[in-house]
């Protein structure tokens, strides 16, 4: 049999092995199982920025896009990606347990990933309002914001983090970087700013331009966004906490 | 004379090794870092010359372990089943008559138990086998890729993997559980490989380890062990067999290595007897090296004329 034909046949086999997963939109989506190449790509991201995790996040988004049978939905967010990563680890690697290390005590604990996934889905169900578009108005300025979408994060990585190099010995550079990272965390949640009859859709602007707009906003508005970010991150943290140990979903999560 | 060599799934009939082949082997393993390509070409070429016509295509497909087993059997049949080695441990030296037939048996058992296996994952079948010498010549970072010999999907569709690049392309497209099945077996293979110790049957040396790794460097090392005459000694012996015993070099090359060793030892005895009958300070060493003062023989023959 011809090599190309055989390789296509192998690819089609992978496409047939699927699993269903309910995302934050309350709908079931069909995903293919990971191939060995995709797993290798995920593991490669072990060399990554610990602050931005750009390589890992980009790779996960790409893999999720490749695995989603119906194609990428622009509303799929970073919590959906977390659901996918845990589910695909269970389905594709066929292992429901994971050995995690307690960072403080160094103790190794066995975690049931199925339980973690269930806990995360339960917490999402209980906090449905977090996954709706959020509104806050102050002095005729209205912000619409929500959980960052994967497309938005991908764009941030492409525009800002992909080509970023920092001299870690230069404290001014490091401070500047941390300040901008904090700003970008806020910016990537915001969908639009409205004032009187004018609405500024953020997707039409670069992240640097968006940051400029945000810097001019009253602190009271930004506080709401920060509070929202703390809430959804807290939901994630709580879902990934098992026996006082935090499960790290990063490149090491896929190391066998 | 033809003799059978039993491999895992076939029996190969071989002629005996000749001195000409023996010389080629010594040349191929000469030096601190013999060329892997030269070694593989030489050994496969020699084996092809010794097997029947219909088996020649099979030789290129032989795994590295099978190739070494053939070489081992050729050595045993032509030069005996022992070789003397010196083991050094804690500044002490000990001499051991290493049984090559024991090595052949242990390696054969390993080969039969763990190599040439079919693994299954859903409707995919993998054939796991030690790689051929030619496959080992092209390097890869991922060791288990060498061991993927063939892949079948749904019984009818199959692909024989000829290169590591092909193996990589196939692996990248496999579902992870399929890859894991293969890699797990590869790890079992490595665990079993670590259990090999050709010295474990020698009580005095049970703490020493002589293992085997299925790669070309290891086979070159073992070939040096089993064919441990230096090329210089070999050429010296041929020269003096021709010079003193008046052998024809073509005849010597057509003999088996066993016959060559016999003739060399006879030459050694003859020279030792002659030296004992004369007042001479030259001695014959155990390695079969002849006295450098050959002029004595030349002078004698000149005086006679």
């Amino acid at each position: 049999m011809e090599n190309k034909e055989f390789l296509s046949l192998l690819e089609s086999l992978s496409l047939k092995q699927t699993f269903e997963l309910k995302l934050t939109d309350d709908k079931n989506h069909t995903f293919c199982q990971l191939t060995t190449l995709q797993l290798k790509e995920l593991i490669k991201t072990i060399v990554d920025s610990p602050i931005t995790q750009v390589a890992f996040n980009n790779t996960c988004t790409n893999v999720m896009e490749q695995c989603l049978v119906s194609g990428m939905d622009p509303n799929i967010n970073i919590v959906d990606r977390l659901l996918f990563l845990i589910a695909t680890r269970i389905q594709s690697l066929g292992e429901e347990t994971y050995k995690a290390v307690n960072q403080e005590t160094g103790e190794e604990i066995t975690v049931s990933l199925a339980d973690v996934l269930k806990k995360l889905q339960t917490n999402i169900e209980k906090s449905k309002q977090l996954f709706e578009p959020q509104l806050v108005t102050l002095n005729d300025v209205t912000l619409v914001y929500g959980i960052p979408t994967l497309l938005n994060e991908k764009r941030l990585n492409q525009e800002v983090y992909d080509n970023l190099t920092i001299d870690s010995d230069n404290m001014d550079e490091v401070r500047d970087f941390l300040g901008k990272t904090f700003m970008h965390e806020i910016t990537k949640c915001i969908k639009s700013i409205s004032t009187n009859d004018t609405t500024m859709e953020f997707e039409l602007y670069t992240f640097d331009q968006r940051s400029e707009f945000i810097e001019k906003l009253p602190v009271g508005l930004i506080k709401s966004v920060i509070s929202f970010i703390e809430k959804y991150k807290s939901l994630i943290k709580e879902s990934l906490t098992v026996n006082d140990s935090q499960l790290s979903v990063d490149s090491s999560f896929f190391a066998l | 004379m033809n003799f059978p060599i039993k491999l895992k799934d076939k029996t190969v009939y071989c002629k005996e090794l000749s001195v000409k082949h023996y010389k080629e082997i010594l040349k191929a393993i000469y030096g601190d870092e013999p060329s892997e390509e030269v070694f593989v070409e030489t050994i496969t070429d020699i084996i092809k010359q010794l097997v029947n016509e219909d088996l020649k295509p099979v030789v290129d497909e032989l795994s590295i372990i099978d190739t070494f087993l053939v070489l081992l059997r050729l050595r045993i049949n032509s030069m005996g089943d022992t070789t003397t080695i010196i083991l050094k441990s804690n500044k002490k030296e000990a001499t051991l008559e290493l049984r090559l037939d024991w090595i052949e048996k242990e390696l054969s058992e390993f080969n039969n138990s763990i190599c040439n296996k079919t693994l299954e994952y859903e409707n995919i079948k993998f054939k796991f086998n030690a790689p051929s010498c030619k496959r080992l010549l092209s390097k890869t970072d991922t060791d288990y890729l060498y061991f993927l010999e063939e892949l079948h999907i749904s019984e009818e569709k199959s692909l024989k993997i000829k290169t590591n690049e092909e193996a990589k392309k196939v692996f990248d497209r496999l579902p992870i559980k399929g890859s894991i099945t293969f890699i797990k077996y590869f790890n079992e293979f490595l665990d079993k490989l670590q259990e090999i110790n050709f010295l474990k049957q020698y009580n005095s040396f049970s703490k020493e380890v002589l293992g085997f790794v299925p790669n070309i460097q290891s086979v070159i090392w073992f070939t040096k062990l089993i064919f441990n005459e230096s090329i210089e000694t070999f050429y010296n012996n041929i020269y003096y067999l021709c010079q003193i015993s008046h052998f024809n070099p073509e005849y010597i090359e057509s003999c088996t290595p066993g016959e060559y060793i016999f003739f060399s030892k006879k030459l050694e005895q003859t020279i030792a007897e002659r030296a004992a009958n004369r007042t001479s300070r030259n001695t014959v060493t155990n390695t079969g090296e002849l006295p450098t003062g050959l002029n004595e023989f030349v002078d004698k023959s000149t005086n006679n004329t």
Side-chain angles (χ1 to χ4, degrees):
Chain A
M1 191 183 200
E2 285 289 320
N3 284 12
K4 276 187 188 164
E5 224 180 298
F6 192 88
L7 291 174
S8 300
L9 188 62
L10 261 183
E11 274 168 0
S12 66
L13 264 186
S14 296
L15 290 172
K16 283 180 194 163
Q17 295 182 335
T18 58
F19 63 93
E20 297 285 311
L21 178 67
K22 194 160 139 184
L23 297 182
T24 57
D25 59 2
D26 220 17
K27 292 179 192 162
N28 272 332
H29 294 258
T30 308
F31 291 92
C32 303
Q33 291 193 19
L34 295 183
T35 61
T36 310
L37 180 62
Q38 287 167 333
L39 179 66
K40 278 194 316 199
E41 294 301 314
L42 286 166
I43 292 172
K44 270 191 218 174
T45 62
I46 210 149
V47 179
D48 196 3
S49 160
I51 299 173
T52 62
Q53 282 205 300
V54 169
F56 180 69
N57 289 340
N58 277 349
T59 306
C60 289
T61 300
N62 291 338
V63 167
M64 189 177 179
E65 199 169 357
Q66 290 160 14
C67 290
L68 184 53
V69 170
S70 57
M72 200 56 145
D73 184 324
N75 295 318
I76 287 181
N77 58 55
I78 60 175
V79 179
D80 291 322
R81 184 175 60 199
L82 181 60
L83 285 164
F84 164 72
L85 291 175
I86 300 172
T88 201
R89 190 164 190 315
I90 298 168
Q91 295 289 337
S92 303
L93 272 64
E95 287 174 18
E96 288 211 1
T97 57
Y98 179 70
K99 285 206 184 333
V101 178
N102 186 316
Q103 297 297 323
E104 283 170 19
T105 65
E107 192 194 334
E108 202 177 72
I109 56 162
T110 301
V111 172
S112 162
L113 292 176
D115 288 347
V116 170
L117 183 64
K118 202 172 172 187
K119 191 176 176 186
L120 179 57
Q121 285 174 324
T122 306
N123 286 345
I124 290 168
E125 190 65 39
K126 281 187 206 165
S127 311
K128 264 193 156 35
Q129 74 285 358
L130 268 183
F131 296 90
E132 304 292 328
Q134 310 289 310
L135 260 91
V136 63
T137 305
L138 186 67
N139 299 339
D140 295 328
V141 179
T142 303
L143 277 190
V144 177
Y145 56 96
I147 308 265
T149 63
L150 294 187
L151 286 178
N152 215 15
E153 186 199 64
K154 201 172 178 178
R155 194 171 158 188
L156 170 63
N157 291 342
Q158 279 167 351
E159 285 178 17
V160 178
Y161 296 135
D162 276 356
N163 301 315
L164 191 64
T165 49
I166 304 157
D167 178 5
S168 55
D169 292 327
N170 184 334
M171 292 317 295
D172 287 335
E173 249 186 71
V174 171
R175 267 188 228 109
D176 187 49
F177 167 70
L178 288 172
K180 282 184 177 162
T181 306
F182 173 74
M183 191 54 81
H184 289 313
E185 279 300 297
I186 297 170
T187 314
K188 77 182 179 189
C189 291
I190 298 175
K191 296 184 193 315
S192 67
I193 302 176
S194 304
T195 173
N196 299 328
D197 297 321
T198 315
T199 300
M200 209 181 292
E201 295 292 343
F202 261 27
E203 64 179 1
L204 299 173
Y205 299 92
T206 66
F207 269 84
D208 283 337
Q209 288 169 326
R210 298 184 206 189
S211 295
E212 280 177 29
F213 301 140
I214 300 295
E215 280 166 8
K216 291 173 172 55
L217 289 176
V219 170
L221 281 174
I222 301 304
K223 266 179 77 173
S224 300
V225 181
I226 294 171
S227 173
F228 169 76
I229 292 172
E230 282 171 358
K231 276 184 194 157
Y232 87 72
K233 289 205 173 194
S234 178
L235 180 147
I236 292 172
K237 191 177 173 184
E238 201 276 325
S239 305
L240 296 180
T241 301
V242 179
N243 296 343
D244 297 327
S245 296
Q246 178 85 24
L247 181 68
S248 283
V249 180
D250 52 23
S251 54
S252 63
F253 188 58
F254 290 94
L256 299 173
Chain B
M1 188 181 88
N2 285 5
F3 57 89
I5 301 179
K6 280 185 188 164
L7 303 174
K8 171 141 187 185
D9 56 353
K10 51 179 91 67
T11 299
V12 177
Y13 280 87
C14 272
K15 298 188 193 77
E16 288 179 284
L17 205 63
S18 69
V19 170
K20 185 180 174 191
H21 298 131
Y22 176 57
K23 181 176 73 174
E24 292 301 308
I25 292 172
L26 291 181
K27 282 157 71 177
I29 57 175
Y30 178 70
D32 290 333
E33 289 180 26
S35 160
E36 290 186 2
E37 287 84 2
V38 168
F39 176 78
V40 166
E41 279 302 316
T42 305
I43 297 302
T44 48
D45 194 44
I46 288 171
I47 297 174
K48 279 180 188 173
Q49 288 176 38
L50 298 175
V51 298
N52 290 341
E53 202 62 43
D54 55 332
L55 286 172
K56 286 189 202 304
V58 168
V59 175
D60 283 328
E61 304 299 317
L62 287 177
S63 74
I64 184 81
I65 298 177
D66 283 336
T67 304
F68 179 59
L69 285 170
V70 169
L71 201 55
L72 203 50
R73 182 38 57 180
L74 284 171
R75 199 292 189 181
I76 291 169
N77 278 359
S78 60
M79 295 165 75
D81 57 8
T82 61
T83 187
T84 308
I85 62 171
I86 296 171
L87 291 172
K88 291 180 184 177
S89 176
N90 295 331
K91 295 180 186 176
K92 290 179 190 168
E93 272 188 18
T95 308
L96 171 68
E97 282 288 299
L98 190 66
R99 290 283 299 268
L100 302 179
D101 51 337
W102 291 358
I103 291 179
E104 186 189 35
K105 185 168 180 272
E106 186 168 350
L107 198 56
S108 219
E109 278 168 5
F110 169 81
N111 198 28
N112 292 342
S113 69
I114 199 109
C115 292
N116 207 6
K117 281 270 188 262
T118 301
L119 311 169
E120 287 185 42
Y121 167 70
E122 299 209 348
N123 56 348
I124 303 175
K125 283 186 185 167
F126 310 90
K127 192 167 169 204
F128 178 99
N129 199 10
S132 65
C133 298
K134 291 221 154 90
R135 181 100 172 249
L136 282 167
L137 286 175
S138 68
K139 303 299 175 196
T140 175
D141 290 335
T142 321
D143 287 342
Y144 57 74
L145 289 178
Y146 285 120
F147 291 79
L148 181 60
E149 191 179 86
E150 211 171 313
L151 202 73
H152 295 260
I153 300 176
S154 310
E155 297 294 339
E156 307 128 16
K157 296 167 179 78
S158 67
L159 182 70
K160 196 151 174 66
I161 309 289
K162 294 190 188 91
T163 64
N164 295 326
E165 288 70 36
E166 263 177 26
K168 185 172 183 297
K169 278 183 189 167
V170 161
F171 243 88
D172 282 349
R173 283 158 178 78
L174 283 174
I176 296 173
K177 286 181 203 167
S179 310
I180 290 173
T181 305
F182 189 87
I183 293 168
K184 270 189 178 158
Y185 191 78
F186 173 70
N187 287 335
E188 275 177 46
F189 168 84
L190 291 178
D191 289 338
K192 276 230 152 186
L193 194 65
Q194 292 202 336
E195 289 171 17
I196 293 179
N197 180 8
F198 298 133
L199 295 180
K200 65 175 176 257
Q201 292 184 76
Y202 304 92
N203 292 334
S204 313
F205 303 98
S206 55
K207 286 181 187 170
E208 306 297 328
V209 176
L210 180 60
F212 179 81
V213 179
N215 64 28
I216 300 174
Q217 280 305 318
S218 177
V219 171
I220 290 176
W221 189 89
F222 272 96
T223 307
K224 286 187 177 195
L225 189 78
I226 65 179
F227 295 103
N228 57 8
E229 183 178 27
S230 75
I231 191 80
E232 290 89 355
T233 305
F234 173 80
Y235 278 129
N236 269 334
N237 287 344
I238 299 292
Y239 176 78
Y240 292 122
L241 280 170
C242 297
Q243 174 79 355
I244 296 169
S245 304
H246 306 293
F247 275 83
N248 185 312
E250 285 83 15
Y251 171 73
I252 297 175
E253 286 209 339
S254 70
C255 289
T256 66
E259 287 163 347
Y260 149 80
I261 290 168
F262 177 82
F263 296 143
S264 299
K265 286 201 165 121
K266 277 288 178 197
L267 177 65
E268 213 177 295
Q269 276 172 16
T270 306
I271 291 167
E273 279 161 14
R274 284 188 195 178
N277 291 337
R278 289 189 316 273
T279 50
S280 170
R281 283 178 293 164
N282 291 325
T283 55
V284 175
T285 67
N286 286 336
T287 58
E289 282 177 344
L290 293 170
T292 52
L294 257 191
N295 288 337
E296 186 192 43
F297 297 102
V298 172
D299 289 341
K300 215 175 185 178
S301 63
T302 311
N303 287 340
N304 283 342
T305 57

